[in-house]
Every structure is written in structure tokens, then in C-alpha cells.
Amino acid sequence: MTRYFPWRRAFAALLIAMLAWAPLTRAEAQTDPYAGLIVPNFDTIVTAVETIALSGDARAKPVLTALGNNELYTWKYPRPDHGLFIHDLDAGHWLNARTGAVIPTPPFMAVRKVVANDMVTGAIQTAMGVLDLSSPVVATRRKAAEAIFESPAANTLPIVQHALSTEKNPSVIATLQQAQAADELFTPGTGVETKLAAVKTVGARGDMVSRNMLASLSSGQDKTVAAAAAAAIAHIDFSLKLWSWLETVYYGLSLGSVLLLAAAGLAITFGVMGVINMAHGEMVMIGAYTTFCVQGFFRAYLPDFSGISLIVAIPVAFAVAGAIGIVIERSMIRFLYGRPLETLLATWGLSLVLQQAIRSLFGAENQNVITPGWMSGYFTLGGLTITLNRLCIIIFAFAVVGGLMAVMRYTPLGLRMRAVTQNRRMAASMGIRTPWIDAMTFGLGSGIAGVAGVALSQIDNVSPNLGQNYIIDSFMVVVFGGVGNLWGTVLAALTLGIVNKGLEPVAGAVLGKIVVLVLIIIFIQRRPRGLFPVKGRAVEA
């Protein structure tokens, strides 16, 4: 008598069901792009993901998103309906994946999750890029075309060609043409002429992605194609080096504009009045803290206008730092005119007092000054990436120096300032109140330093030591450009900024600064009065 084994019976039933299910899946795959998702095999799921992407079905994106988020389910055991469900965890209901219709919750023990491993996740990302090619948003289509370009494959070539036939936006068309060329390079059987054209198109991008792509072409390529790829790589290398130089110049201009802002006020107090103000950096620091306070006021009382808080901080910082400068001049500096050593020691001590005062009021930690949205982000110009905050500071620096030159040249205050600094006794005999001019001049230089603090708060840490980072550089700029000459200050700041950035990749930041300092010392030995010496006398006691 034959023994009865229940497990054998169950296994036979399961085997029959699987044998019956496999051909059904292959048959439905011809018409149902989602059929492969219910097969518990990662290779089949990857193929299904690619099929879904190529189908362009309206439900493709939600289904692939659910698969990537582990919210896609199917029957645990094969059923004729080949069910595929999405468990929307946020909404708390179940959906038919193919139709999007809400369905009753299936028995928990009857369903299993469709698992996505790393290979499936990568396929989903590529598939989402392909699907985005049909998006109504231009930026999304361009981004999708860029993603296809960066991951070229033979199976995306028909999709790119179809998208090219319907695309109207010129920028997206250009990116799609590059993606098509990349796909053609990696499609077996592509003709030599087509590959040569593809190499030309990819090489014309001139970026690192296209260079790596051309370098990754297999060694079995036709000699003509290999030579064309090598020539394109050489051209890209030259182009990248050229853009790298331009980037160094841009960052040098950016650093130069920062030095210019920090040194512009010192060009007044030291260059025009001859006062060695070691507390000048603290005026910059006070401007940065004023910006922090103004932003705090807007956050507390005018949150809807926070975007303009930085603009409001400019005149406030000028007024606060200028007023403090006038108080310093009237209470201390005016007693030290003509005594440079005592002035240096007194202002150095004052800088320590101001640092400690700020540390006592706000603490020693860095303060968070927010960059407004219109100063955030960047844009590219060829191979150059331009950050908006740096660009704004460059423009702002030249605007401040332009305004300062206009004040010095066209206003009664500027006229009296120049008269007093060139010949104090003659100016006094003409009725000019020289002590008042001294105070206003020192206040103007301190106010400019406060404005510099507003700009520096966007690119540096706002702390009690902020000014110390710029005081030595500011003196170098003023001395190198020519004491008292604003044009010399501008040229010196930009020159030192570009030279510093040019030396950093070669010698490092610290050694580069030391080299710059040595070069300035040598230069001053040859030209003690700087690039543009000014004729006239400094303020005397």
C-alpha cells in the first residue's frame, strides 16, 4: 500500500501552478508592461522596469515610485488575475497599480511585497528619467535628457529619438542630441560615420562627463573613431584648463572685492588721515553684528519682509559703525595725531576692548546670518560656475568704492576733507572747522568698514574675531596701492586677490599668503609710496 504524503501533494500543486503561471507571464508581457513585476526574480523585474519606461503608460510613474518606496505588492501565490497593488501609506488605502482605483484591503497573508534591490533601484532611476522626457515642464525634460546622457545605453536610444521628433524647446533639443550621440556610442552595430559624428557631438560639450565618456570607449573601437575620441579628449582637456584659469581669475576677483571692501574704509582713516587704526577690523565686525541684529528684528516683527533685511542693514551698519568711529575719534584719536606709535598701541587696545564687549553681549560662538533667497544659488557660464552671493559682493564692492569716490570728489564734505588733508593750516585759515572734518572723516572710514561687515557676513563666520582676519590684508592693500589713493586701493585689492588665488593651488593658502607678503615687502623697497603715490601732507597734530 502506497503511503500518503500531504507535502508531496502540495508541492505538486505548487509546481503545476508555477508551470502554468510562467507562460502566462511571458504571454502577458507582450501586452501588459507590468507583468514582469510579479515574478520573484530581480533580472525579470529590471526588464519589466525598462519595459514600463518604454511603454509611456500613464500609470508607469506611480507604479515605479511605489516600487522604489517599497509600497508595491502582488499575490504571494500566483493567481490568474496577476494582481499588482499599491499600499499608499500616507492615505492609508490600497490601489490597483494598473488602474489607480481604490480597492478593498487584500488579506495580509495573501500578498507579498515586490522587493527592489540596488540593481532594481538603479533601473528605476533611469526609467524615471526616461518618463520625465514627456513632462510638460522644460526644466524636467532637460534634466531627464541630461540623466540619459550621463548613463548612455542602447535601449534608451529609441526613446531619445522619439523625444527628439516631438521636442520644440531648443535647449532640450541640444541636450537630447547629446544624449542620442552618447547612446549611439554605446550601441553595438553603430556605423563608423555615425560614431564619428557622435564623438564630435559629445566632445563639443567640453565638460568632465563627456571626457570620461569618451575615455571609457572600449579599445576595440575602429581606429578612426579611437583617433577622433583621443583628439576630442585633448580638446576637452585644453578647454577645461582654460576654464580653470578663468575660474581662478573669478575667485581672485571675488577675494579682491572682499579685500577692497575691508580696505576701502582704511584707505580713508589710514590713507587720507594717516591714522594707524588697528581697530578698523572691529568696525567691520560691528557691521556684521549689526546685520545680525537687523535680521533678528525682521524675523521677530516683520517676517514677511525678511528678504530685504540685508538691504536695510546697509545704512544701519554704516550709521552704527560711523557713529562709533566719531566717538572714538573725539574721545581718543584726536589726542594722538602726529604720534603714530601711541596711536597704534591705543587702537590695538581698543580693538581688544571691542572684541570683548561683543563677546560679552552676544557670546563667543558664531552668529547665524541668513543669506536671502535672491543671493542664493548659482548659474553657469560655459565651464564657469558663478555663485550669486560672490557676484553680489563684487558688484556691491565696486558700488561702495564708486560712491566713496563720488563723496570725496563732488560733495562739500569731500572737498573739505581733501583741503584739510592736503594743507590743514590753509584750510583752517579759510574757515573750515578742521576738528569737525577730522571727526567726519574718521566716521566715514568707520562707516565704510561697517558696510563691509554687511557683505562679509554673507561669506564668513560672524564672530568677535571676524575683523582680525582682514586687518593685515587691508593694510597690505592700502600700502601696496599707494596711501590715500582710492584707485590704487582698487587695483591693489584685485591684484592681491588674483595672485593669492593663483598661488593657492601651487603653494597652499598659508604659503601663498607668505609669498604675497614677501613680494609686497620687495615692492615697497623699490616703491615706498606704493603703486599710485599721492602728493600732499597727512594730518598733523
Side-chain angles (χ1 to χ4, degrees):
M1 182 177 178
T2 305
R3 291 185 63 184
Y4 177 69
F5 294 97
W7 62 271
R8 286 185 177 178
R9 196 171 179 180
F11 178 74
L14 179 61
L15 181 61
I16 292 171
M18 291 181 66
L19 290 174
W21 171 55
L24 277 176
T25 303
R26 286 196 296 271
E28 287 212 350
Q30 305 295 325
T31 55
D32 181 11
Y34 305 100
L37 295 179
I38 65 175
V39 179
N41 179 282
F42 289 126
D43 290 335
T44 306
I45 294 176
V46 168
T47 304
V49 169
E50 294 171 353
T51 305
I52 293 169
L54 298 176
S55 71
D57 187 79
R59 292 291 304 164
K61 209 164 186 177
V63 172
L64 294 180
T65 302
L67 176 60
N69 294 337
N70 292 320
E71 295 178 350
L72 191 66
Y73 290 79
T74 186
W75 295 121
K76 185 174 291 184
Y77 301 107
R79 293 191 183 186
D81 62 351
H82 299 166
L84 199 60
F85 319 109
I86 295 175
H87 186 193
D88 190 335
L89 295 175
D90 294 332
H93 54 228
W94 288 73
L95 305 172
N96 185 320
R98 293 180 177 85
T99 63
V102 178
I103 60 172
T105 302
F108 179 73
M109 297 298 293
V111 295
R112 65 173 175 84
K113 186 180 294 183
V114 180
V115 179
N117 64 356
D118 292 344
M119 185 172 60
V120 175
T121 302
I124 292 173
Q125 292 174 349
T126 303
M128 297 296 272
V130 171
L131 291 170
D132 284 340
L133 285 177
S134 58
S135 169
V137 181
V138 171
T140 304
R141 298 202 302 275
R142 190 187 305 114
K143 185 178 179 181
E146 191 69 30
I148 294 175
F149 173 80
E150 294 177 359
S151 302
N155 60 350
T156 57
L157 181 58
I159 300 297
V160 174
Q161 290 172 334
H162 175 72
L164 266 173
S165 65
T166 57
E167 182 60 55
K168 302 296 183 187
N169 184 276
S171 64
V172 180
I173 288 176
T175 309
L176 283 171
Q177 288 172 340
Q178 294 166 355
Q180 181 186 20
D183 286 345
E184 289 171 343
L185 284 177
F186 292 90
T187 300
T190 304
V192 173
E193 294 299 325
T194 304
K195 281 198 173 184
L196 287 174
V199 168
K200 185 177 180 181
T201 303
V202 173
R205 279 177 60 110
D207 59 3
M208 188 58 73
V209 176
S210 58
R211 188 200 183 282
N212 293 338
M213 185 180 296
L214 293 174
S216 67
L217 286 176
S218 64
S219 57
Q221 294 288 338
D222 181 87
K223 290 183 179 179
T224 311
V225 176
I233 289 173
H235 177 74
I236 291 173
D237 287 342
F238 175 77
S239 176
L240 290 176
K241 186 174 293 185
L242 183 62
W243 283 115
S244 175
W245 290 340
L246 290 176
E247 189 173 67
T248 299
V249 172
Y250 171 70
Y251 282 112
L253 288 175
S254 172
L255 176 60
S257 65
V258 172
L259 295 177
L260 178 59
L261 276 173
L266 196 64
I268 300 297
T269 55
F270 177 58
V272 176
M273 299 180 67
V275 175
I276 303 175
N277 182 17
M278 295 300 291
H280 179 78
E282 278 55 52
M283 297 296 108
V284 176
M285 178 262 293
I286 287 172
Y289 272 91
T290 303
T291 307
F292 169 71
C293 293
V294 170
Q295 284 198 345
F297 174 82
F298 271 82
R299 281 197 298 269
Y301 301 102
L302 298 169
D304 295 337
F305 299 94
S306 296
I308 63 170
S309 62
L310 196 66
I311 298 175
V312 175
I314 294 173
V316 176
F318 179 84
V320 171
I324 293 176
I326 292 174
V327 172
I328 293 173
E329 198 278 338
R330 287 291 85 190
S331 61
M332 185 175 71
I333 300 295
R334 69 186 178 114
F335 301 110
L336 300 173
Y337 285 135
R339 297 157 62 188
L341 180 60
E342 288 86 343
T343 306
L344 186 148
L345 291 174
T347 53
W348 178 69
L350 177 64
S351 71
L352 298 180
V353 171
L354 292 175
Q355 286 181 41
Q356 186 56 45
I358 291 295
R359 196 173 285 111
S360 300
L361 285 173
F362 297 94
E365 66 277 7
N366 296 336
Q367 301 299 330
N368 182 28
V369 176
I370 300 172
T371 301
W374 50 271
M375 279 185 69
S376 302
Y378 66 92
F379 65 91
T380 57
L381 184 63
L384 184 65
T385 301
I386 297 177
T387 53
L388 293 179
N389 60 345
R390 292 275 178 180
L391 181 62
C392 289
I393 288 176
I394 292 174
I395 297 173
F396 181 66
F398 282 95
V400 169
V401 174
L404 185 58
M405 288 181 174
V407 169
M408 295 290 290
R409 187 173 181 84
Y410 299 111
T411 66
L413 176 62
L415 178 64
R416 289 177 172 81
M417 285 169 57
R418 285 183 286 130
V420 170
T421 54
Q422 289 175 8
N423 195 321
R424 173 179 291 273
R425 291 181 179 177
M426 179 66 73
S429 66
M430 297 295 292
I432 297 176
R433 297 171 57 194
T434 56
W436 184 82
I437 294 298
D438 292 338
M440 290 297 105
T441 304
F442 200 87
L444 177 62
S446 300
I448 296 297
V451 171
V454 178
L456 293 181
S457 69
Q458 299 301 304
I459 59 173
D460 208 337
N461 296 323
V462 177
S463 70
N465 300 322
L466 172 64
Q468 294 297 306
N469 300 329
Y470 295 96
I471 185 65
I472 300 301
D473 289 334
S474 299
F475 273 108
M476 283 180 11
V477 167
V478 174
V479 171
F480 179 54
V483 177
N485 192 306
L486 286 176
W487 283 112
T489 302
V490 174
L491 185 60
L494 299 182
T495 302
L496 291 182
I498 293 174
V499 171
N500 263 310
K501 284 299 177 184
L503 288 174
E504 278 184 7
V506 181
V510 177
L511 185 57
K513 187 160 287 189
I514 293 174
V515 171
V516 170
L517 183 59
V518 171
L519 291 176
I520 289 180
I521 292 173
I522 296 173
F523 177 81
I524 295 299
Q525 293 293 320
R526 304 280 299 180
R527 294 175 65 94
R529 302 185 67 182
L531 287 173
F532 301 99
V534 174
K535 296 180 179 179
R537 291 185 295 177
V539 176
E540 299 171 352

